[in-house]
Amino acid sequence: MLQRIRAAPPRYWLVVIAVLFFAGFPTVISSFQAAQWANALILVIAIMGLNILVGYSGQLSLGHGAFMALGAYTSAILAHRYKMDYLLTVPIAGLLTGLVGFLFGVPALRLSALYLALATFALAVVTPSLIKRPVALTNGVNGIILLPPDPPQFAKDAFSAVTGTVMTSEQWTYYVTFAWALLLFWLAWNLVRHRSGRAMRALRDGEVAAAASGVNIAGYKMLAFGISALYAGIAGSLFGMSSGFVSPDSFPVGLSIQLLVGAVIGGLASIPGPLAGGIFAYFLPIESNQWVPAQTWIPTQIASTVEKAGPAVTYGAILILIMIFAPNGIVGLVTSGYERLRRRLRGAADRETGQAPPDPQTV
Amino acid sequence: MALLEIRELSVRFGGVVALDRVSFSVDAGEVVALIGPNGAGKTTLFNVITRVYKPSSGSVLIDGEPVSRVSPHHVVRHGLARTFQNLALFRSMSVLENVLVGDHIRTRSGWLESTIPMPGAMRAESAARKRAMEMIDFVGLGAAATRPIAALPFGTQKRVELARALVSKPRILLLDEPAGGISHEEVDAMAQLLRRIHDQLDVTMLLVEHHMAFVMGISDRVVVLDFGKKIAEGKPGEVQRNPAVIEAYLGAA
Ligand SMILES: Nc1ncnc2c1ncn2[C@@H]1O[C@H](COP(=O)(O)OP(=O)(O)OP(=O)(O)O)[C@@H](O)[C@H]1O
Ligand SMILES: [Mg+2]
């Protein structure tokens, strides 16, 4: 056992460190910050789902905000109208959204990449008005106000034992989100490494060869849509819990774009990618809006323009920079940096022992 | 009964008649070569057999069962696997993962079982890995199993494609120019490998090849296509002396 722990590759240690960090974090930050981080993790979950679709199965969606909306409203309606325990509504919202996503995958099969992008974008555009229509169900433009969640006794006890303070509903929401994020990351990690995940990656790399190997192209494309919508549905449901309020304006087109930008910035077809991408996509607009005006060296005119234009400008600029300098996102940047460092260190060791490094081209 | 039978197969692309009422069959245990000048329709025939293209008319039978209507991903379930003229490997994957995709039809675990993950699916996964490794060893790439495809030389990639096709346990293998684009020594090694596949794994073969010495050395029978029509069929020696074949090749040259 001890030997196995010692032999574990560095990425397992990274996982352990990250989990401990996210578990301990809210005990040292304010309740307000915990709420922010809960929202960041919600984006992370949605981006993880989008990553399964875009990164692993190679299909584009510019409308994943719509699936978040469906998840959020499913939970809000179940909790508000049918007085269901909100925590119970989360998996229901996920499954329902997943099913709808799976079915959305059917017409998506007939569309080429460009038209799929347009169709999903259209979905994101019409979502707010679609929500407003059935007023009896969704309460129209007024939205649905939800009760702030009350942390259960065991959580309160544990939290006050560690911090000496009373757990707020924001902190509880954070831990619920964190637990879902852990579960969903673990599931995604299992999915992509095994038969079905391989089939998705195979059809992304080449449909003809994948089909010749027996991969049902249509089936796996729909599956990717379904799983990815399931993630978005759960994220949307958690979003309702964290904001205490859902309305048509909670799900603008910009949300879908934010998800896609997060997926690309973090690194497509990577498991840690959505974590980096989600945190980035959440805090970037907040921070840049504060950071830019605070810089004295930036001319006031530019600063105020950036401030007015809001996150869209910074997003665009960052996205362009990432595409030029880090086509594989933050994770790609870090892993290639790590590889380069390791090669250099190994090269140094080889010079000492006088051994040549193995030629990577000989097979 | 023939293992693979092509019956009166025609394919048109707009005005181009790529295949014109082609018929022939391959018996179990045979190695049949399909030759013909560039653009004769050889790759098109493979693509019709594997359902990449729909035929305009005619049919394809594997072991007496018509497969002209099955979905593309069902063809391999009838025991027919293929390789591609211009390599169609999964570029983002390692050698092992590529071969594991080839094993897709031999495991049935669904997505939920491997995502949860259920013990049965995990056992199936390790069994699949074992089969894939055996096949990688068989084509002589044991040392390269975990290497990413993109880092491997062309000749090595061709062997990966072979392993990916073979791991599905096909009864018949379609090879599109197995000796194309590789060096002299590699051509000999490839011929030996195909022999071993035929003898040890008991696989019937239909292969397209331009390398004549290779074709003559390995095949029991040769089918010649020219402008989508079958112009000759017979033993390698006979076909080589056939005036129509000589004419087709000289005409094309
Ligand atoms: N998808 C397609 N659309 C239109 N025409 C096609 C298509 N595929 C093949 N063709 C045409 O069909 C004919 C046969 O092509 P094919 O690729 O089958 O030849 P081939 O015998 O494999 O030649 P080579 O030895 O060069 O590989 C050619 O005229 C080609 O241009
Ligand atoms: Mg060809």
Side-chain angles (χ1 to χ4, degrees):
Chain A
M1 186 66 201
L2 214 68
Q3 219 142 40
R4 274 187 68 182
I5 291 175
R6 232 178 261 143
R11 67 157 179 252
Y12 286 95
W13 290 113
L14 280 178
V15 170
V16 172
I17 291 168
V19 169
L20 290 178
F21 173 80
F22 281 101
F25 201 35
T27 61
V28 294
I29 56 177
S30 71
S31 171
F32 174 73
Q33 283 171 315
Q36 282 194 321
W37 279 89
N39 282 329
L41 285 185
I42 288 168
L43 272 193
V44 166
I45 291 173
I47 291 171
M48 182 74 241
L50 187 58
N51 184 36
I52 288 172
L53 185 71
V54 182
Y56 286 101
S57 91
Q59 303 175 90
L60 193 57
S61 169
L62 289 168
H64 251 51
F67 293 122
M68 277 184 78
L70 180 58
Y73 268 90
T74 305
S75 280
I77 291 166
L78 286 176
H80 182 73
R81 238 166 218 279
Y82 301 99
K83 307 289 173 243
M84 221 170 152
D85 185 346
Y86 201 91
L87 288 186
L88 278 183
T89 70
V90 178
I92 298 175
L95 291 176
L96 179 75
T97 313
L99 185 66
V100 170
F102 183 76
L103 296 177
F104 187 85
V106 179
L109 292 174
R110 309 205 158 272
L111 302 175
S112 68
L114 182 62
Y115 284 94
L116 182 59
L118 285 175
T120 50
F121 186 68
L123 183 68
V125 171
V126 301
T127 295
S129 8
L130 275 184
I131 297 171
K132 284 173 200 160
R133 282 278 157 217
V135 178
L137 197 65
T138 63
N139 213 14
V141 282
N142 298 321
I144 299 172
I145 296 173
L146 298 157
L147 297 172
D150 196 23
Q153 198 55 46
F154 81 89
K156 277 185 185 161
D157 290 346
F159 196 78
S160 63
V162 174
T163 63
T165 58
V166 180
M167 189 184 225
T168 63
S169 75
E170 283 82 8
Q171 282 154 342
W172 170 238
T173 303
Y174 173 92
Y175 279 108
V176 170
T177 307
F178 173 59
W180 273 105
L182 265 188
L183 174 70
L184 292 173
F185 262 72
W186 180 65
L187 294 179
W189 167 240
N190 288 332
L191 174 73
V192 301
R193 280 178 314 146
H194 294 119
R195 182 172 178 267
S196 309
R198 267 196 306 268
M200 284 179 197
R201 286 149 64 205
L203 76 87
R204 172 202 62 195
D205 285 2
E207 287 190 16
V208 172
S213 298
V215 173
N216 180 348
I217 304 293
Y220 279 100
K221 280 187 166 180
M222 286 166 65
L223 179 66
F225 247 105
I227 293 176
S228 134
L230 182 138
Y231 276 65
I234 288 172
S237 169
L238 293 169
F239 171 82
M241 180 173 174
S242 92
S243 56
F245 176 63
V246 293
S247 81
D249 297 329
S250 314
F251 306 97
V253 176
L255 174 62
S256 298
I257 306 298
Q258 195 179 22
L259 295 178
L260 192 63
V261 170
V264 174
I265 288 181
L268 290 171
S270 118
I271 291 294
L275 180 63
I279 293 172
F280 218 74
Y282 181 76
F283 286 106
L284 181 68
I286 298 175
E287 296 301 322
S288 72
N289 275 14
Q290 291 169 358
W291 183 79
V292 174
Q295 300 305 303
T296 45
W297 56 270
I298 298 180
T300 41
Q301 253 179 343
I302 295 180
S304 72
T305 316
V306 170
E307 210 182 347
K308 270 193 222 112
V313 174
T314 347
Y315 257 31
I318 294 274
L319 192 59
I320 291 169
L321 287 178
I322 292 261
M323 284 195 300
I324 296 172
F325 294 108
N328 295 320
I330 297 173
V331 169
L333 209 60
V334 171
T335 42
S336 71
Y338 174 73
E339 278 303 319
R340 216 170 295 154
L341 185 73
R342 214 175 58 157
R343 220 172 297 142
R344 184 161 300 176
L345 292 178
R346 196 166 56 188
D350 290 334
R351 270 196 296 282
E352 272 167 28
T353 56
Q355 257 180 345
D359 176 6
Q361 288 301 323
T362 25
V363 174
Chain B
M1 191 197 304
L3 184 50
L4 175 70
E5 189 178 346
I6 314 293
R7 257 190 216 161
E8 296 281 307
L9 204 63
S10 297
V11 177
R12 267 182 292 277
F13 295 112
V16 181
V17 181
L19 288 177
D20 191 2
R21 301 168 62 105
V22 174
S23 299
F24 68 94
S25 58
V26 181
D27 288 328
E30 269 191 311
V31 176
V32 176
L34 182 65
I35 66 169
N38 292 113
K42 308 179 294 291
T43 299
T44 302
L45 180 64
F46 276 19
N47 282 336
V48 175
I49 296 172
T50 55
R51 304 286 294 116
V52 178
Y53 298 150
K54 285 187 178 45
S56 312
S57 63
S59 54
V60 176
L61 296 95
I62 299 174
D63 213 8
E65 263 190 87
V67 291
S68 338
R69 290 219 143 57
V70 305
S71 318
H73 67 271
H74 272 128
V75 175
V76 65
R77 289 176 168 84
H78 283 83
L80 184 144
R82 71 174 289 189
T83 65
F84 295 84
Q85 183 168 353
N86 298 312
L87 290 178
L89 286 164
F90 309 119
R91 306 288 302 171
S92 68
M93 298 185 188
S94 68
V95 171
L96 177 61
E97 286 177 307
N98 266 276
V99 178
L100 278 168
V101 175
D103 190 84
H104 188 80
I105 58 160
R106 295 187 65 188
T107 331
R108 239 174 301 279
S109 38
W111 65 278
L112 197 57
E113 290 160 87
S114 54
T115 303
I116 294 296
M118 304 282 275
M122 294 301 103
R123 269 196 303 277
E125 173 78 17
S126 52
R129 275 174 191 269
K130 196 157 158 272
R131 288 194 294 268
M133 275 312 299
E134 273 166 19
M135 205 46 82
I136 291 170
D137 282 334
F138 186 87
V139 300
L141 295 179
T146 57
R147 303 280 308 279
I149 281 298
L152 299 174
F154 189 76
T156 311
Q157 295 193 21
K158 291 212 136 175
R159 285 167 177 257
V160 179
E161 256 203 344
L162 268 176
R164 181 179 69 188
L166 288 172
V167 80
S168 69
K169 254 190 176 295
R171 281 179 296 169
I172 180 162
L173 187 59
L174 267 47
L175 300 158
D176 203 345
E177 305 201 11
I182 58 178
S183 72
H184 246 332
E185 305 87 70
E186 285 177 316
V187 170
D188 290 339
M190 180 60 78
Q192 276 175 22
L193 178 57
L194 295 189
R195 276 258 154 269
R196 277 176 52 224
I197 291 169
H198 178 259
D199 298 344
Q200 294 175 19
L201 304 180
D202 198 21
V203 176
T204 304
M205 292 183 196
L206 173 63
L207 61 96
V208 166
E209 190 44 72
H210 285 293
H211 197 298
M212 277 314 136
F214 187 93
V215 168
M216 298 306 155
I218 198 166
S219 46
D220 303 319
R221 210 147 51 82
V222 180
V223 173
V224 190
L225 284 185
D226 188 26
F227 290 114
K229 283 196 173 66
K230 184 174 94 174
I231 57 166
E233 178 176 354
K235 294 255 177 301
E238 297 164 19
V239 164
Q240 240 175 343
R241 289 189 300 272
N242 186 318
V245 177
I246 295 167
E247 165 73 29
Y249 271 89
L250 290 179

